[in-house]
Amino acid sequence: MPRTARTRWRLGLTTTALLTAAALVPAPAHAEDVTDYAITVDPSAQGAKIDDTMYGVFFEDINRAADGGLYAELVQNRSFEYSTADNGSYTPLTSWTVGGTAQVVNDSGRLNERNRNYLSLGAGSSVTNAGYNTGIRVEQGKKYDFSVWARAESGSTLTVSLKDAAGGLATARQVAVRGGWAKYKATFTATRTSNRGRLAVASTNAAALDEISLFPRDTYKNQPNGLRKDLAEKIAALKPGFVRFPGGCLVNTGSMEDYSEASGWQRKRSYQWKDTIGPVEQRATNANFWGYNQSYGLGYYEYFRFSEDIGAMPLPVVPALVTGCGQNKATDDDALLKRHIQDTLDLIEFANGPATSTWGKVRARMGHPKPFHLTHIGVGNEENLPREFFARFEQFRAAIKAKYPDITVISNSGPDDAGTTFDTAWQLNREGKVDMVDEHYYNSPNWFLQNNDRYDSYDRKGPKVFLGEYASQGNAWKNGLAEAAYMTGLERNADYVQWRPDMIWFNNRASWNSANYEVQKLFMTNVGDRVVPSKATTTPNVSGPITGAVGLSTWATSAAYDDVKVTSADGSTLLSDDFSGDASKWTTSGRGSWSIQDGQYVQTDTAAENTMVTAGDPAWKDYDLHVKATKKSGKEGFLVAFGVKDTGNYYWWNLGGWNNTQSAIEQAVDGGKGTLMTKAGSIETGRAYDIDIKVRGRQVTLFLDGKEWGSFKDDKPAEPFRQVVTKDAKTGDLIVKVVNAQSAEARTSVDLGGAKVASTARVTTLAADQDAVNTETDTPVTPVTSTFRGVAGKFTYTFPANSVTFLRIKQR
């Protein structure tokens, strides 16, 4: 099956007010009470320095995070460039309704070469745009700026109106058009609020139209071609140290050719920065990797400008000419590689060059004569071909360092936290003495609770880590808790690691903070300048042996299973099924199409995913599982499960996963999956494989066709109680940050190691049910501030169940 789907939270924001409600924060226990945990702080020791760029944000145009999201344009498909290349359901008139006669034309009468299509509107006809989501959002009393490029050789009058089903939303405007292509403007003031507005343009005579646009006047910092204010303000409220853009999979997928007649006007291109600058009507549109069109109205200039507006370091990522995200192909065209390397040098000049330089002059013409102060640049994103990637990366780095020696060039380690690609990439990065390596991973909440110490043992003499993408799978409070627990380890290793979050939801009328956003904001606005060494006691390990039933599954594949046998450690048979009768021993999930065929148990639906059937007792332990499996057709191989407790908690051996390119052991905990080990390899269609899995305690050994494939011991505790302490140099505050990711309060003794402190602390608490999810109308995960008056050199505090708590303690 494909690598576990990434949870990307749509951008969506307004700063949530902190509530002063002391009653919502539990009172600390008395000093004589027995405590569950102990935190000991050593203020005399010096921990890692925390850089201003410790935390930042990553932006990728996914889930319409740009057009229809952060980019404030209200008209969808404004230049009639939508195409089946973007999405199979698209036409050049997607999101438009025609009244009368109109057709989209691609001929020499176009507005410009890189904006290929335009609308030919008949006399007495009109077009109406539906906007995004439920429609165009307008608010009573606010101004909206309309513009259009139009051509009418014989002259025409355009009537432009804003309306919804109930009637007009503003006074209609009339625009006189005469002659060749020219830009025309008008302004509306909304007479009432609506979430379902439509923009209509009617013409008295035949006319050609293109770039039909409607922007709210009130964009972020009132910037032209600007950003949606509420979303931009939410990002700014995080006070990020850097902004990584424009992706992601947008950077290293699709054609590496340019948008020109010579390339056949490639519509599925990698994100190339020169496509995205200059006047918006001259910017080329492109097919977005995530299944829609991107207008490039939000381009490199706007990213740089936004980074500057929020005081963040810009961190662009350019293609390395090795595709990723499932495409996995290296481009061998040397001239094309050299062109992209030169484009990268030109990008640095665009960002940093004087206004008299070739590309600095372009920046200045766009409205920014001063440089943007670019210091870091990423080359490539999640390449699955580490050797091919690194060979090209070295050419980029050499060219950049030769001309711009002060620029930090960032490499990467592929799409996962471990495995062959990861190990090979890190080996190459170390041998090549790379400055910084971009790590990406998306794992279960349990993985983040188990891997708090991930960076404790990384070699400080090797490349530093830029943790460019990470998330736990899901958007509930338990995900925020797991990420918060992990972040304590990131802060502890602040001399080595940099990081970023992703976390906002929105629609056309509102935006709201996810639980993850609230965690990130709490950490990002209370970073501190240095780690203060501290220790905490741990939760007793009561995991016991691996227990559970067994299972068979498929993913977008038809497979046949036979001769299933489960034997206990003493040799007794727990389960035996050769499928000569019925399948009554097996419980189905309702997914897929399972049946007995020719003495085998066969799943025939090649579109169905995770079709698991189970058999046996969830209390089984210390057993051997044997099964014979044959792939019949489809994209992948087969999945054999063990330690099955229920539908959300199990292990499985995924043979031929990720489009039949690798095999792995995956663990599901409460519905979220993490990878325990992985190896490259594929499964042959029609070949019968003997699979044996030996479970002893928490040790598992796996055999394929009688040969040992691998083994693992799942004995790493998922520690739910994590903490880190930092110091704010400006205020002198000690910031004690505690995550209690369990459904019981944690009575904790805190020893500040002799530090002289005030008796009161400012407390910020996030606490909610583990499955709580913030929505547009309900935000159960909301920060609460209070004052705690029991601080001393040694004191006791009770941290709520399922909580993240920050205590800011003043030193005297």
Side-chain angles (χ1 to χ4, degrees):
M1 81 189 159
R3 183 160 47 89
T4 306
R6 301 178 173 189
T7 299
R8 304 281 186 139
W9 294 287
R10 287 191 172 197
L11 267 178
L13 308 122
T14 267
T15 304
T16 300
L18 298 181
L19 306 177
T20 302
L24 297 182
V25 179
H30 293 296
E32 65 268 25
D33 285 351
V34 175
T35 57
D36 302 311
Y37 297 91
I39 296 173
T40 306
V41 183
D42 185 0
S44 63
Q46 194 171 74
K49 183 181 182 297
I50 303 175
D51 194 80
D52 290 341
T53 57
M54 172 72 190
Y55 295 114
V57 294
F58 161 57
F59 183 90
E60 179 170 10
D61 186 359
I62 184 171
N63 293 335
R64 293 198 177 276
D67 295 329
L70 185 60
Y71 185 49
E73 173 65 77
L74 296 171
V75 175
Q76 185 175 176
N77 190 18
R78 65 184 178 187
S79 60
F80 308 99
E81 295 291 331
Y82 275 30
S83 162
T84 53
D86 310 324
N87 186 294
S89 66
Y90 281 0
T91 75
L93 282 170
T94 292
S95 201
W96 293 95
T97 302
V98 175
T101 60
Q103 61 176 331
V104 175
V105 182
N106 178 352
D107 64 17
S108 59
R110 65 178 66 88
L111 177 60
N112 61 67
E113 281 296 293
R114 294 171 69 77
N115 192 330
R116 307 291 293 167
N117 292 347
Y118 66 94
L119 183 74
S120 175
L121 188 62
S125 299
S126 66
V127 285
T128 302
N129 190 264
Y132 294 93
N133 299 115
T134 59
I136 293 172
R137 161 76 175 184
V138 296
E139 294 182 50
Q140 184 176 354
K142 292 197 173 182
K143 293 185 181 298
Y144 296 85
D145 293 323
F146 166 83
S147 64
V148 62
W149 282 82
R151 186 188 73 210
E153 303 299 343
S154 302
S156 182
T157 298
L158 303 182
T159 299
V160 187
S161 57
L162 265 174
K163 56 189 177 182
D164 64 10
L169 296 170
T171 303
R173 295 286 184 254
Q174 290 193 327
V175 177
V177 176
R178 182 169 294 279
W181 286 110
K183 188 175 184 179
Y184 299 89
K185 299 179 181 180
T187 298
F188 294 99
T189 300
T191 54
R192 58 186 176 87
T193 296
S194 176
N195 300 320
R196 292 172 170 77
R198 300 290 188 266
L199 177 73
V201 181
S203 181
T204 56
N205 297 320
L209 307 178
D210 206 346
E211 286 291 319
I212 300 176
S213 172
L214 187 71
F215 263 85
R217 174 77 57 86
D218 190 17
T219 59
Y220 183 65
K221 290 190 178 293
N222 298 310
Q223 295 278 20
N225 194 49
L227 306 182
R228 181 171 147 176
K229 190 175 182 180
D230 63 328
L231 298 181
E233 285 178 342
K234 274 185 163 57
I235 300 171
L238 294 168
K239 299 183 178 176
F242 62 89
V243 176
R244 177 176 176 258
F245 62 89
C249 290
L250 300 186
V251 169
N252 67 336
T253 54
S255 168
M256 299 293 166
E257 300 285 349
D258 62 359
Y259 191 59
S260 67
E261 184 175 9
S263 69
W265 304 107
Q266 289 277 353
R267 279 299 295 266
K268 293 187 174 182
R269 309 183 307 284
S270 63
Y271 195 112
Q272 300 176 42
W273 77 273
K274 288 180 180 177
D275 287 344
T276 76
I277 62 169
V280 291
E281 69 274 6
Q282 294 177 17
R283 300 183 190 182
T285 67
N286 198 12
N288 182 293
F289 174 79
W290 301 108
Y292 51 94
N293 178 272
Q294 53 191 149
S295 72
Y296 288 147
L298 173 57
Y300 259 73
Y301 177 79
E302 289 75 28
Y303 284 124
F304 277 124
R305 188 176 66 187
F306 180 54
S307 300
E308 181 179 72
D309 283 344
I310 63 177
M313 178 184 82
L315 204 167
V317 182
V318 299
L321 271 71
V322 178
T323 56
C325 302
Q327 296 183 354
N328 304 337
K329 181 180 179 182
T331 302
D332 293 323
D333 186 330
D334 190 58
L336 189 59
L337 175 64
K338 285 182 168 58
R339 193 268 287 174
H340 275 266
I341 291 172
Q342 185 59 50
D343 281 356
T344 303
L345 298 176
D346 292 344
L347 170 61
I348 298 170
E349 182 177 287
F350 175 78
N352 293 351
T356 54
S357 64
T358 301
W359 290 101
K361 189 180 298 180
V362 174
R363 182 194 70 238
R365 281 201 303 265
M366 293 184 71
H368 202 285
K370 293 182 179 179
F372 282 119
H373 307 295
L374 176 67
T375 60
H376 292 64
I377 192 165
V379 175
N381 170 76
E382 294 188 10
E383 281 72 26
N384 249 319
L385 303 173
R387 296 191 184 280
E388 292 86 341
F389 160 74
F390 198 76
R392 289 155 182 77
F393 170 84
E394 287 191 303
Q395 294 187 57
F396 276 87
R397 182 176 59 167
I400 293 168
K401 289 293 186 180
K403 191 167 184 179
Y404 301 104
D406 294 334
I407 295 288
T408 298
V409 187
I410 302 173
S411 180
N412 76 77
S413 59
D416 296 302
D417 61 277
T420 304
T421 296
F422 179 88
D423 292 339
T424 303
W426 259 105
Q427 178 187 354
L428 293 168
N429 285 317
R430 287 192 188 97
E431 292 172 351
K433 294 180 168 53
V434 168
D435 292 331
M436 192 172 285
V437 177
D438 186 1
E439 289 194 356
H440 294 184
Y441 37 83
Y442 294 80
N443 287 316
S444 68
N446 194 65
W447 185 93
F448 287 95
L449 294 177
Q450 289 180 317
N451 286 275
N452 179 274
D453 61 350
R454 177 178 175 85
Y455 296 107
D456 290 358
S457 59
Y458 269 48
D459 180 10
R460 261 55 182 176
K461 296 179 182 178
K464 290 192 179 297
V465 173
F466 167 69
L467 187 44
E469 292 188 40
Y470 113 97
S472 66
Q473 295 149 359
N475 206 198
W477 178 227
K478 63 185 176 185
N479 301 98
L481 284 169
E483 292 170 10
Y486 193 68
M487 290 172 71
T488 64
L490 297 180
E491 286 201 359
R492 189 172 61 250
N493 292 284
D495 61 324
Y496 192 67
V497 182
Q498 289 178 298
W499 181 81
R500 72 97 198 130
D502 51 15
M503 63 248 135
I504 303 158
W505 287 97
F506 68 90
N507 54 32
N508 61 339
R509 63 185 176 274
S511 56
W512 57 98
N513 305 333
S514 71
N516 316 71
Y517 175 95
E518 297 295 0
V519 166
Q520 314 311 336
K521 185 180 179 185
L522 190 56
F523 272 86
M524 292 169 77
T525 56
N526 293 276
V527 180
D529 300 283
R530 188 172 289 278
V531 173
V532 180
S534 60
K535 294 181 180 179
T537 54
T538 60
T539 305
N541 184 2
V542 292
S543 56
I546 292 174
T547 61
V550 298
L552 310 171
S553 189
T554 61
W555 197 290
T557 300
S558 173
Y561 295 96
D562 202 357
D563 297 336
V564 177
K565 190 169 185 179
V566 180
T567 310
S568 67
D570 64 8
S572 60
T573 299
L574 300 174
L575 172 71
S576 181
D577 200 339
D578 63 3
F579 302 106
S580 57
D582 58 24
S584 59
K585 296 177 182 178
W586 298 85
T587 301
T588 65
S589 62
R591 293 184 294 272
S593 180
W594 290 91
S595 62
I596 303 289
Q597 296 181 15
D598 300 323
Q600 295 181 312
Y601 202 18
V602 184
Q603 198 292 116
T604 55
D605 186 347
T606 56
E609 298 179 346
N610 192 5
T611 64
M612 185 157 20
V613 294
T614 59
D617 188 339
W620 280 352
K621 64 179 181 179
D622 296 339
Y623 58 77
D624 296 318
L625 166 63
H626 171 80
V627 62
K628 190 178 290 290
T630 305
K631 174 181 175 177
K632 298 177 74 68
S633 62
K635 296 179 180 179
E636 310 227 338
F638 24 77
L639 302 137
V640 178
F642 55 97
V644 180
K645 290 183 171 62
D646 52 46
T647 56
N649 294 276
Y650 55 85
Y651 301 82
W652 67 19
W653 190 359
N654 182 353
L655 287 147
W658 293 267
N659 288 320
N660 205 15
T661 61
Q662 58 183 300
S663 298
I665 300 299
E666 295 181 281
Q667 181 185 17
V669 179
D670 295 333
K673 282 202 296 294
T675 301
L676 301 182
M677 61 182 300
T678 182
K679 287 185 178 182
S682 59
I683 292 299
E684 297 175 27
T685 301
R687 174 183 164 188
Y689 290 84
D690 281 307
I691 296 166
D692 291 278
I693 300 171
K694 181 178 181 179
V695 180
R696 294 293 184 274
R698 301 202 67 79
Q699 178 76 39
V700 178
T701 309
L702 306 116
F703 301 87
L704 186 62
D705 288 336
K707 296 181 180 179
E708 184 172 331
W709 179 88
S711 65
F712 69 94
K713 190 172 185 178
D714 182 24
D715 60 353
K716 201 168 189 179
E719 175 59 66
F721 186 87
R722 298 290 188 182
Q723 59 79 40
V724 68
V725 181
T726 62
K727 181 179 178 179
D728 187 322
K730 185 176 180 180
T731 64
D733 291 354
L734 290 175
I735 312 173
V736 179
K737 313 173 188 185
V738 176
V739 181
N740 180 28
Q742 57 191 332
S743 298
E745 62 183 21
R747 295 164 297 170
T748 306
S749 64
V750 182
D751 183 345
L752 296 177
K756 303 298 183 184
V757 293
S759 61
T760 60
R762 181 158 57 92
V763 184
T764 307
T765 305
L766 289 166
D769 180 81
Q770 282 208 357
D771 294 321
V773 176
N774 283 359
T775 67
E776 180 182 358
T777 57
D778 184 28
T779 53
V781 182
T782 300
V784 175
T785 60
S786 64
T787 300
F788 169 51
R789 293 182 170 81
V791 180
K794 296 181 180 180
F795 66 97
T796 303
Y797 193 91
T798 299
F799 296 96
N802 302 320
S803 68
V804 179
T805 305
F806 280 31
L807 294 90
R808 290 193 73 111
I809 301 171
K810 289 197 173 296
Q811 295 193 84
R812 294 186 299 188

